[in-house]
């Protein structure tokens, strides 16, 4: 993700900001330009505040164009904009929503907002990489997100996060930090976040869209294995026995060993982790010149440029990523926090990441 600045006063912003803390201009994200737009304060109502509805009109500081917020701004769940005169009431990201929780329940509303923040970051990546989200030649379903809350009183089992034919289901319970951490510890995972869930599940979707029955399928099988292996049996075996001791030699995570589909989804998620973080670091002008007296010093040097990462050579991407992980992990440890990127990328794992890189690059329209 790139670094944003207020169009009115040039203050640095976060992607989720709805108001500039310096000049107090209301802010909204334009999915077409991938920019945060500063809105006239005398006509604008910040997203999520009383009176912010899909019919509220705004004018920006950069040319006086008219805008409306997505209807989900009324719930404090979206800061994306629609051009004035659009027939849509929901933004590009929110139009992919299927089932959402009961927002009259305060706890559900609070957790759904967290889910939407993560999902909108996912959609930034989808848009910036030029990935498709509609029907493909085989007429598979359009991408839809269902966010479901558990209902113990119904006697139904707990909601499981997953993907099925274009529908991604996310368990609302994953937005509870305590519950998500409990599950992470229970499963022995080094990393578990809402954004990570979305990036993994979208990997399954893009396997359907870009690999299945496509020229890339043979290359996929050479690297990841044969996806025709019984999926349910493979998962049962993984949960019963775990990953082999040497899983890290060829996979980005232990769970990636479960089945070739899971290997691809995990690798796809890691690719999005990498390019999103590198883009932000490049926008900050990060240069690494370690002062340590070590033979590894040169390997830890990096100069990041904000050029489109999907058009860069993969070797350049990975040679910059590894130093960034060493730096960020050490910084996190200085704060007593877990590593930002608690994974080891071996040559075999990098081959798989390169496959995803080339798959995405080749999927972009000419």
């Amino acid at each position: 993700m790139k670094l944003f600045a207020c169009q009115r006063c040039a203050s640095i912003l976060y992607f989720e900001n709805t108001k500039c803390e310096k000049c107090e201009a209301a802010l909204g994200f334009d999915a077409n330009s991938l920019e945060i737009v500063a809105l006239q304060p005398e006509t604008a109502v910040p997203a999520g505040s009383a009176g912010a509805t899909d019919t509220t009109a705004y004018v920006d500081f950069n040319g006086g164009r008219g805008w409306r917020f997505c209807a989900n701004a009324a719930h404090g769940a979206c800061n994306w904009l629609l051009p004035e005169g659009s027939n849509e009431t929901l933004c590009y990201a929110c139009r992919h929503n299927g089932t959402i929780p009961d927002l009259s329940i305060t706890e559900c509303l609070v957790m759904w907002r967290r889910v939407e923040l993560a999902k909108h970051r996912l959609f930034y990546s989808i848009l910036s990489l030029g990935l498709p989200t509609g029907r493909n030649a085989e007429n598979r379903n359009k991408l839809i997100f269902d966010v479901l809350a558990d209902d113990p009183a119904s006697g139904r089992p707990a909601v499981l996060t997953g993907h099925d034919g274009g529908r991604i289901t996310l368990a609302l319970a994953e937005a509870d930090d305590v519950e998500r951490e409990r599950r992470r510890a229970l499963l022995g995972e080094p990393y578990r976040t809402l954004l990570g869930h979305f990036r993994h599940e979208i990997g399954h979707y893009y396997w359907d869209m870009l690999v299945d029955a496509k020229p890339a399928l043979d290359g996929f099988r050479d690297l990841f294995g044969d996806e025709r292996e019984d999926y349910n049996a493979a998962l049962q075996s993984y949960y019963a026995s775990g990953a082999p001791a040497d899983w890290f030699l060829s996979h980005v995570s232990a769970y990636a060993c479960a089945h070739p589909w899971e290997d691809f989804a995990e690798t796809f998620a890691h690719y999005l982790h990498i390019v999103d973080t590198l883009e932000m670091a490049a926008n900050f002008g990060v240069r690494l010149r370690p002062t340590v007296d070590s033979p590894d010093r040169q390997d830890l040097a990096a100069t990041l440029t904000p050029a489109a990462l999907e058009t860069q050579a993969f070797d350049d991407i990975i040679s910059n990523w590894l130093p960034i992980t060493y730096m960020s992990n050490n910084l996190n440890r200085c704060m007593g926090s877990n590593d930002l990127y608690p994974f080891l990328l071996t040559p075999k794992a990098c081959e798989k990441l390169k496959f995803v890189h080339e798959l995405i690059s080749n999927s972009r329209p000419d």
Side-chain angles (χ1 to χ4, degrees):
M1 178 166 287
K2 65 184 177 183
L3 185 63
F4 296 100
C6 177
Q7 294 176 342
R8 186 186 186 195
C9 70
S11 295
I12 297 300
L13 306 171
Y14 290 106
F15 179 62
E16 297 84 2
N17 283 159
T18 59
K19 186 180 76 170
C20 176
E21 296 301 321
K22 183 175 181 180
C23 71
E24 298 189 343
L27 305 169
F29 181 75
D30 173 25
N32 290 318
S33 65
L34 299 182
E35 293 289 350
I36 292 179
V37 179
L39 303 166
Q40 298 278 16
E42 64 268 19
T43 59
V45 179
S49 62
T53 69
D54 60 306
T55 59
T56 305
Y58 308 83
V59 181
D60 65 44
F61 282 96
N62 189 15
R65 185 181 180 186
W67 300 91
R68 291 181 288 112
F69 273 110
C70 171
N72 281 333
H75 302 296
C78 180
N79 68 338
W80 286 30
L81 297 171
L82 296 164
E84 192 175 33
S86 170
N87 293 324
E88 302 287 350
T89 60
L90 295 172
C91 71
Y92 181 76
C94 290
R95 287 200 295 273
H96 289 80
N97 286 354
T99 304
I100 64 173
D102 183 351
L103 302 185
S104 67
I105 302 173
T106 301
E107 183 181 13
C108 289
L109 174 60
V110 169
M111 291 198 292
W112 182 64
R113 286 172 177 162
R114 296 172 188 165
V115 169
E116 286 298 320
L117 286 177
K119 195 195 80 189
H120 281 64
R121 280 188 172 263
L122 172 70
F123 268 91
Y124 174 89
S125 295
I126 289 172
L127 289 166
S128 65
L129 293 172
L131 287 164
T133 58
R135 295 179 182 275
N136 64 4
E138 286 74 36
N139 201 33
R140 288 194 172 88
N141 292 332
K142 178 181 177 181
L143 181 62
I144 297 292
F145 293 85
D146 292 326
V147 181
L148 307 180
D150 291 331
D151 183 8
S154 70
R156 291 191 293 268
V159 175
L160 297 178
T161 294
H163 168 266
D164 184 12
R167 280 199 106 84
I168 289 175
T169 299
L170 184 83
L172 184 64
E174 292 285 348
D176 182 319
D177 293 342
V178 173
E179 174 58 21
R180 190 177 62 256
E181 175 60 17
R182 185 191 70 81
R183 296 181 183 191
R184 186 200 66 78
L186 181 66
L187 294 171
E189 298 172 342
Y191 171 91
R192 190 181 184 94
T193 67
L194 286 171
L195 186 53
H197 279 311
F198 278 128
R199 287 173 171 167
H200 173 95
E201 300 304 337
I202 206 73
H204 287 298
Y205 175 75
Y206 284 116
W207 189 90
D208 284 354
M209 291 285 284
L210 304 177
V211 179
D212 189 20
K214 300 291 192 304
L217 184 57
D218 287 341
F220 165 82
R221 288 175 177 165
D222 288 342
L223 277 174
F224 295 86
D226 193 335
E227 82 288 352
R228 290 169 295 188
E229 173 190 356
D230 188 297
Y231 179 71
N232 290 329
L235 286 188
Q236 289 176 11
S237 175
Y238 171 78
Y239 284 118
S241 304
D246 62 351
W247 65 264
F248 57 89
L249 295 177
S250 54
H251 297 78
V252 295
S253 71
Y255 185 58
C257 296
H259 186 274
W261 282 337
E262 298 302 339
D263 193 4
F264 180 82
E266 284 286 271
T267 304
F268 196 95
H270 278 250
Y271 182 77
L272 294 187
H273 293 332
I274 291 168
V275 296
D276 198 54
T277 306
L278 281 181
E279 183 183 22
M280 181 61 74
N283 274 251
F284 268 102
V286 170
R287 297 174 70 248
L288 300 183
R289 295 291 182 271
T291 59
V292 64
D293 185 13
S294 167
D296 297 328
R297 178 177 174 179
Q298 187 58 40
D299 293 336
L300 294 176
T303 299
L304 279 66
T305 58
L309 288 166
E310 73 278 2
T311 64
Q312 292 184 21
F314 177 77
D315 289 346
D316 292 338
I317 292 175
I318 209 68
S319 67
N320 282 323
W321 176 243
L322 296 178
I324 289 291
T325 64
Y326 299 144
M327 180 195 70
S328 58
N329 288 350
N330 273 287
L331 290 175
N332 274 27
R333 293 184 187 197
C334 287
M335 289 293 294
S337 298
N338 293 333
D339 287 353
L340 178 74
Y341 189 74
F343 302 96
L344 174 68
L345 294 180
T346 61
K348 182 67 173 181
C350 287
E351 279 188 65
K352 295 176 180 179
L353 285 165
K354 185 176 182 179
F355 177 88
V356 171
H357 173 77
E358 293 176 348
L359 189 69
I360 292 175
S361 297
N362 294 336
S363 73
R364 295 174 65 89
D366 297 331

